[in-house]
Amino acid sequence: MCASSSRSSSANNRPDEAYDRTSTLHSEGKASRHAFSSSGGAAGLTLVATPIGNLGDFSLRGAEALAEADLILCEDTRMTARLLSDRNITTRTEALHEHNERQRVPALIERMQNGTRMALVSDAGMPLMSDPGFRLVRAVIDAELPLTVIPGPNAALTALVLSGLPPHPFMFIGFPPPRSAARKEAFAKLRAAERAGLSATLIWHEAPHRLADTLADMTEVFGEDRPCAVGRELTKRFEEVKRGPVGTLAAFYAETAPRGEITLLLGPAEAEESSADDLDTTLRSLLSTHSVKDAAALAATAIGLPRRTVYARALELAAELKNSAD
């Protein structure tokens, strides 16, 4: 998260007054602001969206919810400390992340049942979206405790509306697998779904040091001409969105190392029929990282052809590749 100069001191000091000016927009009035209650008994959990880069994007309601909480659960307390300091919020924080969430949930539920008011934030954006918190939310629902959300910035949606790709339908997938073989397999499954009728803009987050390899794998599986966009440092000073065919972007980032937070988008496929060229291209890509049997199984799913036919062609291509290597 990057600090922003666009702050409102009046918002920091008088969140209730600022909220009153907009309360006519909410038919349920102030009582519906979040799950917190001052009436003792079970309190509950409020999910609070945080900025994805610009601290000026943090909402008044979000700041108010964090200030009123007894405890803020954070993906990383050090990251959240910057946000709290910016808004003069002194609420106690504790870490809740992928390594401790399962163990911590029962005790957290018990504390809520005894009246502790909790808020959950991730390092940036909406909680649960490629971030911890899903187990806790499920437990809160199962315990029939109050649960609400204060919406706000989201990197996937921000990139989607900037990309120029069809905005709906879209599918947010999270992070692709870090290793090429698993990544190609995941892409092949999506390609198979497209051949079965899926037509949507696909959205991933990606680490900058893996972006070039991911785009190269994407080119192999989806084809070099698919429309693509790469969003970088969204809402920050050096925000950038590059658009073009996925093969072109793969070549660009192979020569230009990106920096910062990355959101990667792939436009929907055009209607098409399977062909022998599709099969050979898919098989050659998969045979570089898989056995003949596994490559044939994945390609058969992706192309939509009988597995026996694909396996026979995989054997032929494997023999050709071996002879050319010799």
Side-chain angles (χ1 to χ4, degrees):
M1 246 180 336
C2 222
S4 165
S5 60
S6 56
R7 303 176 187 171
S8 170
S9 59
S10 61
N12 295 344
N13 299 328
R14 300 293 299 276
D16 283 332
E17 181 177 308
Y19 182 87
D20 286 343
R21 291 197 296 270
T22 61
S23 62
T24 56
L25 299 176
H26 304 273
S27 60
E28 297 182 8
K30 287 188 179 181
S32 65
R33 276 181 274 170
H34 45 73
F36 298 162
S37 171
S38 60
S39 58
L45 179 68
T46 296
L47 311 174
V48 181
T50 57
I52 60 174
N54 190 317
L55 287 178
D57 293 336
F58 192 41
S59 73
L60 295 173
R61 291 184 65 224
E64 180 185 45
L66 297 188
E68 290 185 1
D70 299 314
L71 176 66
I72 301 171
L73 301 171
C74 315
E75 185 179 0
D76 186 332
T77 56
R78 295 166 298 181
M79 291 290 292
T80 303
R82 298 179 58 190
L83 178 63
L84 300 183
S85 175
D86 183 76
R87 295 303 174 93
N88 299 316
I89 297 170
T90 59
T91 307
R92 187 165 58 89
T93 62
E94 292 181 9
L96 184 78
H97 46 68
E98 60 180 332
H99 303 296
N100 71 359
E101 184 178 2
R102 187 185 300 275
Q103 294 76 20
R104 295 210 60 198
V105 162
L108 292 172
I109 294 297
E110 183 177 358
R111 289 165 68 179
M112 284 184 229
Q113 289 171 331
N114 291 330
T116 301
R117 304 170 299 176
M118 296 189 190
L120 173 68
V121 299
S122 63
D123 287 348
M126 287 289 290
L128 279 68
M129 303 301 292
S130 290
D131 292 318
F134 177 70
R135 291 187 181 92
L136 178 61
V137 165
R138 287 301 317 169
V140 168
I141 293 170
D142 291 342
E144 298 183 348
L145 287 163
L147 174 69
T148 192
V149 62
I150 296 178
N154 177 273
L157 294 179
T158 301
L160 178 62
V161 299
L162 285 173
S163 68
L165 298 172
H168 55 78
F170 69 88
M171 179 182 293
F172 173 65
I173 304 164
F175 281 86
R179 296 187 181 278
S180 180
R183 194 160 54 229
K184 287 180 181 178
E185 183 174 349
F187 290 163
K189 291 178 180 178
L190 287 169
R191 190 73 184 99
E194 290 179 338
R195 292 185 181 279
L198 173 68
S199 180
T201 295
L202 307 177
I203 308 174
W204 296 265
H205 295 319
E206 185 54 292
H209 65 279
R210 288 197 295 264
L211 178 62
D213 291 339
T214 295
L215 286 167
D217 291 343
M218 195 174 285
T219 300
E220 288 190 30
V221 176
F222 294 99
E224 64 181 14
D225 295 326
R226 282 283 287 273
C228 183
V230 175
R232 187 179 69 85
E233 294 290 87
L234 299 175
T235 77
K236 300 180 183 179
R237 180 180 178 186
F238 297 106
E239 174 181 285
E240 176 184 72
V241 180
K242 286 199 171 295
R243 308 169 183 87
V246 64
T248 301
L249 293 181
F252 174 81
Y253 284 108
E255 299 294 330
T256 308
R259 300 177 66 180
E261 303 291 332
I262 302 290
T263 302
L264 173 61
L265 305 96
L266 189 71
E270 296 182 1
E272 58 184 84
E273 295 182 0
S274 300
S275 68
D277 289 341
D278 292 332
L279 176 59
D280 285 2
T281 299
T282 301
L283 281 173
R284 285 193 177 95
S285 173
L286 291 170
L287 284 169
S288 65
T289 53
H290 291 74
S291 68
V292 172
K293 180 180 178 182
D294 290 343
L298 289 169
T301 300
I303 301 296
L305 293 174
R307 186 168 298 192
R308 183 175 298 179
T309 301
V310 175
Y311 183 70
R313 182 56 180 158
L315 287 173
E316 294 174 358
L317 289 177
E320 291 178 12
L321 292 171
K322 181 178 181 182
N323 292 335
S324 63
D326 294 340

